[in-house]
């Protein structure tokens, strides 16, 4: 039988960037306290966060999108192991190709860091009026304030894009965002 700890171990050994402990605890608490039932996740990886959210309560469902085939297959396997096939709808595609009709109580953005503004803009139409958009990795493993010290151009570019996302959230007319220095940095955005 596969357990949550096994997923954490697999992620560690295979360099899969699942949520950090404090981050996932924060997210799970938020879901409990705010009676969130219907979640959309961008970036499933191996299904870890989707499974943890679903295990909170029988009434919670998650739709989750993953574009990497190997991770997608691993996620499908894990979802089966936890008997959550009826609760988790996993879509194998690039999120930018996915058109959803439904609305969700919570949209969790945890995918390519360079595209956060685009994910936000694309999926906000799928957010319930009272819903929230939660984003992970806003500290980018502690690199977010060190843009000028980063040698890799690629990494510097990503940090710049994440900083743009943070400004986009701070200056947003439609959404009010609270930033939490928890895990790798989490934001919670609600319609004003
Ligand atoms: N939420 C997961 C971790 C996700 S890691 C957890 O905490 O358990 C980020 C994942 O997003 C990676 O597996 C990556 O392949 C996926 N991803 C990145 N950009 C994507 C996109 N445009 N569409 C779909 N998946 C994407
Ligand atoms: Mg993350």
């Amino acid at each position: 039988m596969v357990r949550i700890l096994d997923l954490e171990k697999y992620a560690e050994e295979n360099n899969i960037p699942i949520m950090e402990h404090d981050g996932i605890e924060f997210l799970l608490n938020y879901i409990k306290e705010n009676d969130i039932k219907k979640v959309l996740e961008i970036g499933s990886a191996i299904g870890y966060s989707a499974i943890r959210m679903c295990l909170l309560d029988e009434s919670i469902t998650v739709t989750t999108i993953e574009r990497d085939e190997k991770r997608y297959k691993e996620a499908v396997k894990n979802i089966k192991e936890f008997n959550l096939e009826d609760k988790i709808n996993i879509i194998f595609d690039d999120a930018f190709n996915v058109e959803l009709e439904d609305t969700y109580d919570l949209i969790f953005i945890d995918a390519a860091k360079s595209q956060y503004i685009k994910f936000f803009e694309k999926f906000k139409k799928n957010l319930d009026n009272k819903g929230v958009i939660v984003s992970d990795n806003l500290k980018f493993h502690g690199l977010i304030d060190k843009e000028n010290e980063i040698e890799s151009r690629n990494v510097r570019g990503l940090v710049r894009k994440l900083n743009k996302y943070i400004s986009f959230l701070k200056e947003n007319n439609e959404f009010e965002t609270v930033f939490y220095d928890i895990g790798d940095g989490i934001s919670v955005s609600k319609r004003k």
Side-chain angles (χ1 to χ4, degrees), residues 124-150:
K124 69 180 185 189
K125 68 173 184 301
N126 297 102
L127 187 68
D128 184 86
N129 271 334
K130 288 186 199 137
V132 287
I133 300 185
V134 176
S135 319
D136 187 35
N137 302 106
L138 299 187
K139 292 201 294 184
F140 201 52
H141 319 292
L143 293 173
I144 200 72
D145 323 315
K146 302 197 177 72
E147 195 170 308
N148 298 324
E149 294 165 41
I150 300 166

Side-chain angles (χ1 to χ4, degrees), residues 16-20 24 41-50 64-68 71 93-96 108 110-113 115 119 136-137:
I16 315 278
I18 62 168
M19 276 198 107
E20 292 185 12
I24 189 82
E41 175 181 70
I42 321 295
S44 334
I46 60 167
Y48 173 77
S49 49
T64 181
I65 309 172
E66 176 57 53
R67 69 177 176 189
D68 178 274
R71 290 181 182 180
D93 208 337
D94 191 299
F96 292 112
F108 179 41
D110 193 20
K113 309 311 159 211
Q115 314 266 25
F119 292 132
D136 187 35
N137 302 106

Side-chain angles (χ1 to χ4, degrees), residues 38-90:
K38 209 169 152 196
V39 178
L40 170 64
E41 175 181 70
I42 321 295
S44 334
I46 60 167
Y48 173 77
S49 49
I51 289 170
R52 295 224 47 195
M53 290 188 271
C54 266
L55 289 176
L56 278 177
D57 194 273
E58 288 225 334
S59 59
I60 296 173
T61 59
V62 178
T63 295
T64 181
I65 309 172
E66 176 57 53
R67 69 177 176 189
D68 178 274
E69 188 167 14
K70 189 163 176 233
R71 290 181 182 180
Y72 163 76
K73 286 186 168 157
E74 194 64 31
V76 168
K77 197 179 90 194
N78 290 329
I79 292 164
K80 280 210 185 98
E81 293 274 1
F82 280 87
N83 284 319
L84 291 172
E85 300 104 304
D86 296 344
K87 299 286 158 85
I88 302 178
N89 170 27
I90 180 161

